């Protein structure tokens, strides 16, 4: 803002330098206030475009906001828009800016891990020491258990510094866990998440060692409850998702039921739960889950995937339309692509299934998309492509018994022609490796037993299954 020159000159001529400086600062603040209001208007317009699925228009509005005028929420939205538009480098830059402002942005950490940023690079964005005021930053949890909370509490010195360092260490472990999951190291991710669950219990106990603080601040009690509930809830929920992906179905179902008992209004990952219920043929629970989700929020992509699961056997075309609608709502919803691929396979359309599974892999490769690709290529009699996809899975998940079995399945399917003996031998070796890695793995045991029977070794088959 231009300050009136005559007023400024008068103040300077009379030696009122402080007043002149204040006049300049006042003008500057008015200008910045105007810019901030303009930024808010643009942000609201962009939010409306985004809600309508008009990402390009939303991004144009957001790019019109000067970088100095963007707050944390604006940077987070820009990161999401860039990511949806496949502008990976720009998305990474915006997510990093979010973490520079506050290291507790859970959503930004998970996104950076999925975009291939290393744990070391993400952790380097965190403050290594308390800030100048000596106070920890506000704890901000975004979209955890459906809530957004901002907590900023004044702590005494030693308590503050200990709690800050404890929180930062926990966030570092969280980053490492998310990077493990993003790189398909599910075992390492589960171990780190379990360690974090223990941290939340220990941290709550640590807070309770300060009775003087409790008596002076009732908000601390609330923080402890939030720490226990949201922290443990969100970690348990992530663990449920991982178990579902790696095939620990019974454990995942029990954990999902626990999550629903804690918060019956949760929607996140409930489509994964629906898929597990379908595998267990638990139709009554599946029906109730879908009914509950429709009453909670019928606009979420998870709801339409769950509807697709429910209608799969009744109306495949209707189920397919639900899966496609989940993707229209959120183009990055992996479960929608997985369900779409499954439906195309059951409809004997393996070419379309390949496209759906590849779509899931582009977003976040996991065991299910590899399994779907292998089944699709085998249905098309494309053995080389199936073997390549299976080996990709084994390379991405070297400690996964299910990935090893997948390679064995491809070899076992190719037991005809001149190379029958070689493929049978290779299949046997991969099934045995899978059983060594995961003793009691029923899928590998049954596949290996079938090979024994085909080769006339019925006794070996009976002995193998008797040990499971």
């Amino acid at each position: 803002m231009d300050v009136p020159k005559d007023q400024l000159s008068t103040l300077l001529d009379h030696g009122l330098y402080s007043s002149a400086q204040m006049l300049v600062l006042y003008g500057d603040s008015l200008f910045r206030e105007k810019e901030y209001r303009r930024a808010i208007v643009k942000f609201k317009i962009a939010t409306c475009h985004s809600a309508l699925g008009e990402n390009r228009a939303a991004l144009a509005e957001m790019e019109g906001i000067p970088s100095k005028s963007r707050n944390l929420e604006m940077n987070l939205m820009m990161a999401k828009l860039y990511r949806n538009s496949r502008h990976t480098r720009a998305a990474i830059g915006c997510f990093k800016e979010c973490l520079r402002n506050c290291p507790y942005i859970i959503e930004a950490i998970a996104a950076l891990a999925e975009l291939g940023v290393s744990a070391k690079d993400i952790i380097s964005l965190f403050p290594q020491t308390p800030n100048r005021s000596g106070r920890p930053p506000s704890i901000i949890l975004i979209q955890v258990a459906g809530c957004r909370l901002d907590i900023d509490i004044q702590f005494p010195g030693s308590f503050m510094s200990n709690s800050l360092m404890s929180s930062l260490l926990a966030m570092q472990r969280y980053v490492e866990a998310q990077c493990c999951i993003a790189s398909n190291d599910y075992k390492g991710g589960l171990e780190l998440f379990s360690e974090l669950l223990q941290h939340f219990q220990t941290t709550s106990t640590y807070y309770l060692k300060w009775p003087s603080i409790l008596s002076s601040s009732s908000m601390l009690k609330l923080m402890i409850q939030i720490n226990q509930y949201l922290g443990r809830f969100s970690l348990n929920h992530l663990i449920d998702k991982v178990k579902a992906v790696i095939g620990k179905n019974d454990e995942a179902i029990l954990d999902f039921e626990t999550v629903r008992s804690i918060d019956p209004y949760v929607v996140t990952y409930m489509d994964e739960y629906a898929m597990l219920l379908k595998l267990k043929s638990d139709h009554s629970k599946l029906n109730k889950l879908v009914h509950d989700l429709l009453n909670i929020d019928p606009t979420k992509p998870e709801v339409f995937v769950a509807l697709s699961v429910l209608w799969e056997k009744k109306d495949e075309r209707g189920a397919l339309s639900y899966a496609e609608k989940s993707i229209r709502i959120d183009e990055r919803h992996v479960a929608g692509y997985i369900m779409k691929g499954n439906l195309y396979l059951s409809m004997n359309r393996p070419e379309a299934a390949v496209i759906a599974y590849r779509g899931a892999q582009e977003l976040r490769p996991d065991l299910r998309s590899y399994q779907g690709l292998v089944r699709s290529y085998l249905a098309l009699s494309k053995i080389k492509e199936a073997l390549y996809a299976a080996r990709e899975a084994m390379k991405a998940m070297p400690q996964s018994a299910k990935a090893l079995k997948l390679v064995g399945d491809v070899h076992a399917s190719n037991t005809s022609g001149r190379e029958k003996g070689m493929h049978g031998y290779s299949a046997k070796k991969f099934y045995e490796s899978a059983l060594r890695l995961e003793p009691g793995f029923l899928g590998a045991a049954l596949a290996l037993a079938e090979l024994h029977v085909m080769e006339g070794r019925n006794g070996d088959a009976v002995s193998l299954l008797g040990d499971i």
Side-chain angles (χ1 to χ4, degrees):
M1 176 182 178
D2 291 330
V3 178
K5 292 181 180 180
D6 55 341
Q7 295 181 21
L8 188 60
S9 298
T10 301
L11 291 170
L12 290 171
D13 290 343
H14 288 81
L16 300 174
Y17 303 113
S18 296
S19 298
Q21 186 178 23
M22 288 297 296
L23 183 61
V24 172
L25 290 173
Y26 176 63
D28 188 55
S29 68
L30 289 176
F31 174 76
R32 289 183 180 277
E33 182 182 7
K34 182 180 178 182
E35 284 296 305
Y36 183 69
R37 287 180 179 175
R38 186 181 301 167
I40 291 176
V41 171
K42 283 185 168 291
F43 175 62
K44 289 183 177 179
I45 294 172
T47 302
C48 294
H49 281 304
S50 179
L52 293 170
E54 300 169 354
N55 286 345
R56 186 174 297 180
L59 195 54
E61 289 291 338
M62 293 302 298
E63 287 177 336
I65 302 174
S67 58
K68 291 183 179 179
S69 300
R70 293 178 200 149
N71 59 21
L72 181 60
E73 195 171 6
M74 293 174 186
N75 277 320
L76 187 61
M77 184 176 186
M78 281 200 76
K80 291 179 182 177
L81 290 170
Y82 278 132
R83 189 183 187 190
N84 290 341
S85 303
R86 300 183 187 275
H87 296 158
T88 303
R89 183 176 297 180
I92 288 173
C94 288
F95 280 127
K96 283 185 173 181
E97 188 61 32
C98 292
L99 289 182
R100 288 189 187 99
N101 291 334
C102 177
Y104 300 97
I105 309 299
I106 304 295
E107 196 171 358
I109 293 172
L112 287 171
E114 290 175 7
L115 289 169
V117 180
S118 69
K120 183 179 178 181
D121 286 347
I122 297 173
I123 292 170
S124 70
L125 301 169
F126 294 173
Q128 302 303 310
T129 57
N131 53 33
R132 289 183 179 180
S133 66
R135 297 180 60 196
S138 296
I139 298 173
I140 300 178
L141 298 172
I142 292 182
Q143 292 184 358
V144 176
C147 305
R148 171 176 173 162
L149 299 175
D150 297 270
I151 306 171
D152 193 354
I153 302 174
Q154 183 78 40
F155 294 104
S158 62
F159 178 84
M160 177 281 301
S161 59
N162 286 333
S163 63
L164 173 62
M165 296 313 295
S166 177
S167 297
L168 288 175
L169 286 172
M171 293 308 297
Q172 289 177 14
R173 291 290 179 272
Y174 183 83
V175 170
E176 291 166 1
Q178 285 286 8
C179 288
C180 281
I181 300 303
S183 63
N184 294 304
D185 180 8
Y186 296 109
K187 183 180 179 182
L190 282 173
E191 289 174 355
L192 286 165
F193 280 136
S194 299
E195 180 184 332
L196 277 168
L197 282 175
Q198 181 62 37
H199 164 80
F200 276 100
Q201 295 171 344
T202 305
T203 304
S204 299
T205 303
Y206 178 77
Y207 289 153
L208 292 172
K209 291 179 181 178
W210 293 80
S212 60
I213 303 173
L214 285 172
S215 61
S216 63
S217 175
S218 60
M219 277 300 293
L220 184 59
K221 292 181 182 179
L222 175 61
M223 198 189 97
I224 293 170
Q225 292 172 353
I226 291 168
N227 179 47
Q228 288 177 315
Y229 174 73
L230 287 185
R232 295 183 65 190
F233 177 92
S234 60
L235 288 172
N236 271 317
H237 210 23
L238 285 167
I239 290 171
D240 300 342
K241 166 69 184 303
V242 174
K243 287 180 178 177
V245 169
I246 64 178
K248 292 188 174 182
N249 297 346
D250 292 336
E251 290 182 33
I253 286 173
L254 289 174
D255 290 342
F256 274 123
E257 289 172 354
T258 301
V259 166
R260 274 175 56 80
S261 69
I262 295 172
D263 183 0
Y265 297 100
V266 67
V267 175
T268 307
Y269 300 146
M270 284 298 111
D271 46 358
E272 305 283 354
Y273 181 39
M275 291 182 187
L276 292 176
L277 291 176
K278 180 65 184 297
L279 287 174
K280 299 290 287 186
S281 298
D282 197 335
H283 301 294
S284 61
K285 284 186 178 178
L286 178 58
N287 273 294
K288 185 180 186 309
L289 174 65
V290 173
H291 178 267
D292 291 345
L293 292 176
L294 285 168
N295 286 328
I296 295 167
D297 189 347
T299 66
K300 296 290 187 182
E302 293 90 343
V303 179
F304 287 96
V305 174
L307 278 166
S308 179
V309 174
L310 181 66
W311 283 91
E312 182 179 358
K313 294 299 182 185
K314 304 175 186 177
D315 179 3
E316 286 182 333
R317 291 187 179 277
L320 184 60
S321 69
Y322 283 131
E324 289 173 337
K325 187 165 186 178
S326 74
I327 296 170
R328 287 198 298 273
I329 294 172
D330 181 1
E331 292 180 355
R332 299 193 58 82
H333 195 66
V334 174
Y337 290 93
I338 296 292
M339 192 63 207
K340 190 175 176 181
N342 293 346
L343 286 164
Y344 277 134
L345 266 183
S346 65
M347 296 166 71
N348 197 27
R349 296 176 60 186
E351 298 96 339
V354 168
I355 296 171
Y357 289 127
R358 282 295 181 194
Q361 280 205 324
E362 286 179 11
L363 295 171
R364 187 172 61 248
D366 65 31
L367 182 64
R368 297 171 303 176
S369 58
Y370 284 119
Q371 290 172 329
L373 277 174
V374 168
R375 293 203 310 271
S376 301
Y377 284 131
L378 290 178
L380 292 166
S381 299
K382 294 184 176 181
I383 305 300
K384 287 184 178 179
E385 289 84 349
L387 188 58
Y388 179 78
R391 289 190 178 279
E392 269 191 330
M394 188 177 66
K395 183 179 179 181
M397 295 167 276
Q399 297 302 313
S400 170
K402 291 178 175 60
L404 289 171
K405 178 186 177 292
L406 202 56
V407 182
D409 290 342
V410 178
H411 285 294
S413 70
N414 195 23
T415 54
S416 60
R418 292 179 299 176
E419 299 179 343
K420 175 181 177 180
M422 183 187 72
H423 285 292
Y425 176 79
S426 297
K428 178 184 173 185
K429 288 300 180 184
F430 279 106
Y431 291 148
E432 289 174 343
S433 297
L435 284 169
R436 281 195 298 271
L437 191 61
E438 188 181 321
F441 180 13
L442 185 58
L446 289 172
L448 183 55
E450 186 176 349
L451 278 180
H452 286 322
V453 171
M454 289 173 61
E455 295 173 0
R457 297 193 299 273
N458 295 345
D460 290 344
V462 172
S463 176
L464 173 65
L465 295 176
D467 294 336
I468 299 298

